[in-house]
Amino acid sequence: MTPTKLLARALLCLLLLSTIANTIAAQRRSPAPRNRTIAAIVRDIDARNIEQTIRKLVSFGTRNTLSEQNDPNRGIGAARDWLYAEFLKAAEASGGRMTVEKQSYEQPKAARVPQPTIVTNIVATLKGTQPESTDRIYVVSGHYDSMCNSPTDAKCDAPGANDDASGTAAVLEMARVMAKHEFEATIVFMAVAGEEQSLLGATHFAEQAKQKNWSIDAMFTNDIIGNTLGGNGVRDRGSVRVFSEGVPSNETPAEANTRRSVGGENDSASRQLARFIKEMGERYVPQMKVMMIYRRDRYGRGGDHIPFLERGWPAVRFTEVNEEFRHQHQNVRVENGVQFGDLPEFVDFAYVANVARVNAVSLAVLALAPARPKGVTILSQRLSNDTELRWEVNKEPDLAGYEIVWRETTAAVWTNAQAVGKVTTFTMKGMSKDNYFFGVRAIDKDGNRSPVVYPRPLGRNQQANPTSSTSTTSAP
Ligand SMILES: [Zn+2]
């Protein structure tokens, strides 16, 4: 090699290194401005309200879905009416933007439903204020039903303090705190029933939403978020698990084929959502670590996010890190000096409040930020060491532009970002799509970023019309 060529190579290397260094430095310098709305939400979420809600829900004796519906003091009906009244109180601060409804249906006989039973969700909807964003919906839920040993025992005491008064209380507290603030997109705060009877309430809501053609951009379920001393003896008050699936539950074989061919098994929309929650949660709630779990739910188990995943919407589950099975789905009793049962004395209310904060800041940024870019593609058939990305332009008036993010293929989270301005195509020079994963996110004038969209491959014969091949943002 001639000295001139060597020098040219060295210069190129230096240029590349300084670009990477600049990108990292830019990320450090400019985290989204510490939004006043978000700071207020973090401050206003109060563990004392969460404790009161949990103790009140426990006071109904049982909230089994098959229990009494018309007794004012005991059973799921009493819990339903109390929650409805509490969400209505929360809505008072919204100036008419939050509406509350009881969404009921009759569940026919089923495996865990011995006779036809009314299942009622309490649904509080905080309408988005930006016309271009108000149809974009975020759903956060907990389940207010409970069970003891048998899911069909409607008589036994089933306090359900952790499973799942904790999640229900977190959602009610978020509704109370967030109703005061305006968001561009719509947020639905929901307490569902029938979870222990096979995700009945959540499935009903998701199916109704599908039939109404709602655009649900993300769903969070909070289920078992209050115990900080595990059955394994480990005390952890500073972490929460966020479960996300890698390969979408609703994917067709053809879509799965495409995903396999480009190594997208770790880049579903739900997984981008989990990465987003980790980034926002740890930024605004620094006392909490978001432990991403790369699976749909705990081993062989399920939750209320699944009916949403099955209908093609990104969804995740929040749960404490170390579970204590002596305090879940147990008849309340003492055996050999050991207390069994899901009692409030085993719930760490300050921890539930922190999990609620992680939820709330993530929801707030989602509902303040632009939508995820649509139609994101990568030109896959051009043999090149450059990577060319394309997407459709967002419609929000406060859009500032886009960022390309990337990471090595074995990295768990996005490690680099580069602002590229208000464009709909960008080429990463000298960075091969073979060696990195790339994604695109939208950013608004306040610095709020959308979750990342992982591109679909766009073949040579599709290049003439880049926007026609993709109609949804949810996959891969
Ligand atoms: Zn549960």
Side-chain angles (χ1 to χ4, degrees):
M1 196 175 291
T2 67
T4 329
K5 271 192 180 163
L6 258 176
L7 190 68
R9 283 217 172 167
L11 275 173
L12 196 72
C13 271
L14 266 175
L15 196 71
L16 203 69
L17 276 174
S18 85
T19 309
I20 291 171
N22 280 342
T23 310
I24 293 168
Q27 273 185 306
R28 292 221 177 101
R29 268 199 309 275
S30 60
R34 204 178 159 85
N35 193 311
R36 240 183 262 150
T37 303
I38 291 170
I41 290 168
V42 169
R43 184 193 63 222
D44 290 350
I45 287 178
D46 192 330
R48 288 167 300 185
N49 294 335
I50 285 170
E51 174 173 1
Q52 274 175 21
T53 300
I54 292 173
R55 291 193 186 280
K56 184 69 187 180
L57 288 171
V58 169
S59 79
F60 298 117
T62 175
R63 304 185 307 281
N64 186 291
T65 299
L66 312 174
S67 65
E68 186 55 56
Q69 302 231 2
N70 299 312
D71 186 315
N73 300 312
R74 185 179 172 89
I76 192 156
R80 171 201 65 208
D81 293 346
W82 182 81
L83 282 168
Y84 178 64
E86 290 298 306
F87 277 104
L88 279 177
K89 269 191 229 167
E92 284 170 14
S94 73
R97 288 171 300 120
M98 183 184 273
T99 51
V100 186
E101 65 158 328
K102 290 182 182 173
Q103 182 192 51
S104 295
Y105 79 103
E106 189 179 78
Q107 169 63 41
K109 241 174 101 159
R112 290 182 166 200
V113 184
Q115 66 275 326
T117 301
I118 302 291
V119 174
T120 304
N121 301 326
I122 312 298
V123 182
T125 305
L126 182 61
K127 197 99 179 113
T129 55
Q130 182 163 276
E132 294 82 359
S133 309
T134 189
D135 290 340
R136 180 158 44 98
I137 299 170
Y138 298 99
V139 179
V140 60
S141 87
H143 71 86
Y144 70 96
D145 62 311
S146 65
M147 64 179 275
C148 40
N149 280 33
S150 158
T152 52
D153 185 341
K155 298 286 174 210
C156 57
D157 278 345
N162 192 26
D163 184 9
D164 182 34
S166 65
T168 306
V171 172
L172 176 57
E173 182 64 0
M174 283 184 246
R176 192 188 70 78
V177 167
M178 294 175 78
K180 298 173 200 145
H181 300 282
E182 291 194 4
F183 300 95
E184 291 167 13
T186 294
I187 306 175
V188 171
F189 303 88
M190 182 162 78
V192 300
E195 196 272 351
E196 307 291 9
Q197 257 56 33
S198 300
L199 319 177
L200 299 180
T203 303
H204 179 70
F205 178 92
E207 186 52 33
Q208 292 293 306
K210 188 88 198 167
Q211 283 175 21
K212 288 181 237 166
N213 225 352
W214 282 8
S215 162
I216 295 181
D217 205 57
M219 188 274 182
F220 302 175
T221 182
N222 285 273
D223 196 354
I224 313 183
I225 57 164
N227 171 69
T228 52
L229 178 59
N232 55 3
V234 177
R235 163 82 69 185
D236 186 347
R237 305 189 69 202
S239 314
V240 62
R241 288 185 291 179
V242 174
F243 290 84
S244 65
E245 69 179 12
V247 175
S249 295
N250 72 321
E251 199 159 67
T252 65
E255 287 166 336
N257 245 337
T258 303
R259 181 180 300 281
R260 264 192 302 278
S261 75
V262 297
E265 298 89 344
N266 195 10
D267 281 277
S268 67
S270 297
R271 193 141 296 163
Q272 308 305 348
L273 182 62
R275 293 185 178 115
F276 178 90
I277 293 165
K278 183 173 178 64
E279 191 178 342
M280 295 307 145
E282 293 181 356
R283 176 180 303 166
Y284 293 113
V285 193
Q287 66 272 31
M288 290 296 280
K289 180 175 169 279
V290 174
M291 182 178 177
M292 291 191 295
I293 304 287
Y294 283 177
R295 47 167 61 112
R296 187 170 73 169
D297 204 318
R298 300 148 307 158
Y299 213 93
R301 296 153 79 197
D304 283 334
H305 55 316
I306 293 176
F308 290 81
L309 292 170
E310 287 171 344
R311 286 161 181 79
W313 294 312
V316 296
R317 177 193 180 112
F318 285 80
T319 297
E320 69 208 23
V321 176
N322 300 288
E323 291 178 71
E324 168 53 278
F325 301 106
R326 289 177 297 190
H327 304 150
Q328 287 180 21
H329 302 182
Q330 295 282 353
N331 287 63
V332 179
R333 66 194 189 279
V334 176
E335 235 173 62
N336 303 321
V338 175
Q339 178 72 61
F340 287 78
D342 192 352
L343 298 165
E345 56 257 44
F346 302 120
V347 175
D348 184 335
F349 306 109
Y351 173 80
V352 179
N354 278 333
V355 176
R357 289 183 181 105
V358 172
N359 272 263
V361 301
S362 304
L363 284 168
V365 181
L366 284 169
L368 290 169
R372 292 175 288 150
K374 290 186 182 5
V376 182
T377 54
I378 200 163
L379 292 188
S380 62
Q381 300 203 345
R382 187 170 294 168
L383 291 177
S384 165
N385 285 315
D386 299 340
T387 298
E388 192 178 340
L389 293 146
R390 292 182 188 181
W391 57 93
E392 294 167 24
V393 71
N394 278 54
K395 58 187 178 182
E396 294 85 358
D398 58 336
L399 182 81
Y402 298 91
E403 282 183 341
I404 308 286
V405 296
W406 68 93
R407 66 182 204 274
E408 292 203 1
T409 62
T410 52
V413 296
W414 299 106
T415 52
N416 296 72
Q418 182 179 331
V420 297
K422 224 169 173 172
V423 297
T424 55
T425 175
F426 195 81
T427 301
M428 300 298 288
K429 292 273 185 214
M431 293 193 72
S432 169
K433 56 193 167 294
D434 299 337
N435 298 350
Y436 300 95
F437 286 135
F438 291 95
V440 182
R441 63 187 173 195
I443 174 166
D444 73 8
K445 288 174 179 155
D446 297 324
N448 295 309
R449 290 161 171 83
S450 76
V452 169
V453 176
Y454 185 76
R456 289 163 183 262
L458 186 66
R460 194 176 293 147
N461 48 3
Q462 297 162 286
Q463 284 179 24
N465 189 3
T467 55
S468 68
S469 63
T470 45
S471 55
T472 67
T473 56
S474 59

